[in-house]
Amino acid sequence: MDYKRRDIVLVDFNPLKKKEKVGKVRPSVILSDTQLNEVLDLVTVVALTTNLIDDAEPLQIRIAPSEHLEKESDAMVEQLRSVSKRRIGERLGSLSEEELEKIAYGVRTMLVL
C-alpha cells in the first residue's frame, strides 16, 4: 500500500490507553511526507470525527465527504499522532489542497512553528 500525504485512511487507534486520546478504528488524514512514508515504519496522521464543532479552527478543520468518506467530519488537529503502518487499513479518499493547508496551519499554530 502507498501512504500518501493528503490521503484519508482507516486507522486502528485501539487499544485506548488514556481517555483524552482517540480510540477505535476511525478515518484519519496522512500528514507525513509521501517520500518519508516509503522508508519509515511510522506514518503521521490526524484523526477525524463526526462529532462536529462549529467555528473551532484552527484545531478542528471541517472535511467534506468524498469518495468513501460518507459523512462531513472534523480533522482533530490536537490528535496529531504517529502510528505504525500495521494500524492503517483501507484508503477512503483524499483531501483537497485547501483542506490540507488548513490542517497544516492548525498544526503550525498548535506547535508554535
Side-chain angles (χ1 to χ4, degrees):
M1 175 177 181
D2 292 330
Y3 302 91
K4 295 180 182 173
R5 181 175 170 88
R6 290 188 354 167
D7 277 355
I8 301 168
V9 294
L10 285 179
V11 176
D12 183 356
F13 287 103
N14 290 314
L16 180 62
K17 298 283 186 185
K18 300 192 183 229
K19 65 180 178 181
E20 64 272 5
K21 291 185 179 180
V22 296
K24 68 184 180 181
V25 175
R26 65 172 64 235
S28 302
V29 177
I30 295 177
L31 291 185
S32 48
D33 181 72
T34 300
Q35 289 180 331
L36 285 176
N37 295 338
E38 292 176 9
V39 296
L40 297 177
D41 291 328
L42 297 174
V43 175
T44 303
V45 299
V46 168
L48 301 183
T49 182
T50 55
N51 293 326
L52 306 178
I53 301 175
D54 291 332
D55 302 318
E57 284 191 26
L59 294 181
Q60 300 263 325
I61 307 301
R62 192 63 41 91
I63 306 299
S66 65
E67 296 174 51
H68 300 291
L69 183 67
E70 297 174 1
K71 295 183 180 179
E72 191 171 53
S73 303
D74 277 356
M76 299 181 287
V77 175
E78 76 280 7
Q79 293 290 338
L80 179 69
R81 305 227 343 238
S82 292
V83 297
S84 168
K85 289 177 180 175
R86 292 186 306 250
R87 293 183 173 267
I88 297 177
E90 72 176 291
R91 181 183 178 278
L92 301 176
S94 188
L95 291 185
S96 69
E97 283 293 332
E98 180 182 352
E99 291 167 328
L100 178 65
E101 184 49 45
K102 285 181 179 181
I103 292 173
Y105 175 76
V107 170
R108 288 190 303 269
T109 301
M110 183 180 73
L111 299 176
V112 193
L113 296 176

